[in-house]
Amino acid sequence: MKAIRIYEFGEPEVMKIVEVERPVPAPDEILVKVYAASVNPADYIIRRGGNEGLKPLLKLPMGLGIDGAGIVEAIGSEVTKFKIGDRVYGVPNYLDGSYTEYLAAKSDQFALMPQSVSFNEAGSLPACARMAWSGMVEKAKIKPGQHVLVHGAAGGIGNLALQFAKAHGAYVIGTASAYNADFLKQLGADDVIDYNTQKFEDIVRDMDVVFNATPTTTVDEALRLRSVKVLREGGIFVCTHGVWPGDEFKELLARKNATVSMAGVDINHYHCLTEVAKLIDAGKVKPVISRIYPWEQAAEAHRDSETKHVRGKIVLQVRKED
């Protein structure tokens, strides 16, 4: 089979399509015939050699891609949730990669994909959906009538966090560029703040939840402080990246009896993706794709992603849907 592998860290050109042995699923794994995989910031971070947390774990040669969608080709002897022929979406085993014609992965990392979407749409979802669901539903425990502020609302995680909050009956405000204002309102945003011309702390207050989905690998300290200031008493600040609070941040949290939580920790992929599929098939959430690239153009797709101004997700099409 063919798969994209890197044999050195560096720019997009280090990605090569090569012939590799097709994996055989372990007893608790499924073999997925991959139709689509999405491009996530983690992909180009890993391609470059990783951040401080990832560097010790990266061993060459290796694959790229942290989510995808396809058809179950084979199942391990212990697998009970799936059968051959099921259309599924999910995440590969850690650092195995999904830019490939076939992947073997733990069965609990996949779920039946929404019936109402294509492989490309389903492949755009898992990595971002798990972060948005974890942060908004499991950590923030969003409830009807609550007020939510989503930073980076037009991105892959942000647009889903916004949609999940709306699906649970919240009043949602997103921060984004003016270019994305109408787009976010079409997704259900009750209001949009242009971060280029407006300061959100001058406009909102008493937020039940502030969800930070800005496309960075570190959280700006100033943004954290500004976000806590607009929380209500007992509110929660949720972030998609590691949060190492400074003294001033801790003091502000304590003063408001507020909490901070990181999305994506201890996530049950099967449960999360099953619930997300229900929302999509009910018409309450929709996948947002910026552009679809043939997987032979993975380098160009990575360059597009690295602009950090992508609306929704970039998808690599590994196979055309029948």
Side-chain angles (χ1 to χ4, degrees):
M1 72 170 196
K2 291 182 172 63
I4 289 181
R5 293 286 186 266
I6 60 171
Y7 295 84
E8 61 180 317
F9 298 118
E11 296 305 309
E13 290 75 20
V14 300
M15 294 184 288
K16 307 293 183 185
I17 295 181
V18 298
E19 287 286 341
V20 297
E21 188 174 349
R22 193 166 94 167
V24 176
D28 61 347
E29 292 182 335
I30 57 175
L31 179 69
V32 178
K33 182 179 181 179
V34 179
Y35 277 72
S38 79
V39 177
N40 293 276
D43 297 337
Y44 61 74
I45 291 169
I46 291 171
R47 191 204 71 227
R48 294 170 179 170
N51 52 31
E52 292 304 313
L54 283 172
K55 282 180 181 177
L57 305 174
L58 305 182
K59 299 185 184 303
L60 296 170
M62 61 180 297
L64 292 173
I66 59 174
D67 59 2
I71 294 175
V72 176
E73 187 84 357
I75 59 174
S77 59
E78 298 173 2
V79 174
T80 59
K81 292 184 175 75
F82 303 107
K83 64 182 184 301
I84 294 173
D86 280 343
R87 294 159 63 94
V88 296
Y89 72 144
V91 301
N93 294 337
Y94 189 59
L95 299 178
D96 275 3
S98 57
Y99 299 0
T100 178
E101 290 185 318
Y102 294 87
L103 65 82
K106 302 292 184 185
S107 64
D108 59 5
Q109 295 168 190
F110 276 74
L112 295 176
M113 64 183 249
Q115 297 178 17
S116 57
V117 302
S118 67
F119 283 119
N120 286 334
E121 291 171 311
S124 75
L125 290 164
C128 289
R130 66 180 179 180
M131 297 294 285
W133 181 270
S134 166
M136 192 62 74
V137 179
E138 297 183 353
K139 300 294 169 58
K141 302 186 186 305
I142 192 67
K143 299 178 181 64
Q146 288 189 319
H147 284 63
V148 177
L149 177 66
V150 179
H151 294 310
I157 298 174
N159 88 81
L160 289 172
L162 183 156
Q163 292 187 76
F164 293 161
K166 287 301 299 181
H168 284 77
Y171 184 96
V172 187
I173 302 167
T175 66
S177 65
Y179 169 75
N180 286 313
D182 289 342
F183 160 66
L184 292 180
K185 288 181 178 179
Q186 289 170 9
L187 291 182
D190 295 286
D191 202 359
V192 179
I193 297 172
D194 179 1
Y195 61 71
N196 288 313
T197 61
Q198 299 171 295
K199 292 183 177 180
F200 65 85
E201 64 268 34
D202 293 339
I203 301 172
V204 302
R205 63 179 181 177
D206 296 327
M207 293 288 106
D208 295 283
V209 180
V210 176
F211 188 106
N212 179 44
T214 53
T216 58
T217 54
T218 58
V219 183
D220 180 68
E221 179 69 13
L223 179 63
R224 286 202 294 258
L225 297 174
R226 293 164 62 204
S227 295
V228 174
K229 289 176 182 177
V230 304
L231 282 173
R232 67 161 176 79
E233 176 80 12
I236 182 171
F237 174 71
V238 181
C239 192
T240 57
H241 310 295
V243 178
W244 298 270
D247 290 340
E248 187 178 359
F249 184 61
K250 291 178 182 177
E251 183 181 335
L252 281 174
L253 285 170
R255 197 180 302 162
K256 289 201 168 185
N257 193 30
T259 56
V260 60
S261 185
M262 182 177 172
V265 179
D266 302 322
I267 185 76
N268 181 321
H269 291 91
Y270 178 79
H271 171 74
C272 161
L273 295 175
T274 298
E275 293 302 311
V276 171
K278 291 177 183 176
L279 289 176
I280 291 172
D281 284 336
K284 295 182 178 180
V285 173
K286 65 179 182 180
V288 177
I289 293 178
S290 169
R291 188 169 178 182
I292 299 170
Y293 288 88
W295 75 317
E296 295 87 352
Q297 296 178 18
E300 187 175 345
H302 270 225
R303 291 190 194 94
D304 194 353
S305 179
E306 288 179 73
T307 66
K308 299 181 182 179
H309 291 290
V310 175
R311 178 185 286 181
K313 292 300 293 292
I314 293 171
V315 173
L316 294 180
Q317 181 173 275
V318 179
R319 290 181 171 87
K320 290 186 177 180
E321 192 161 351
D322 297 335

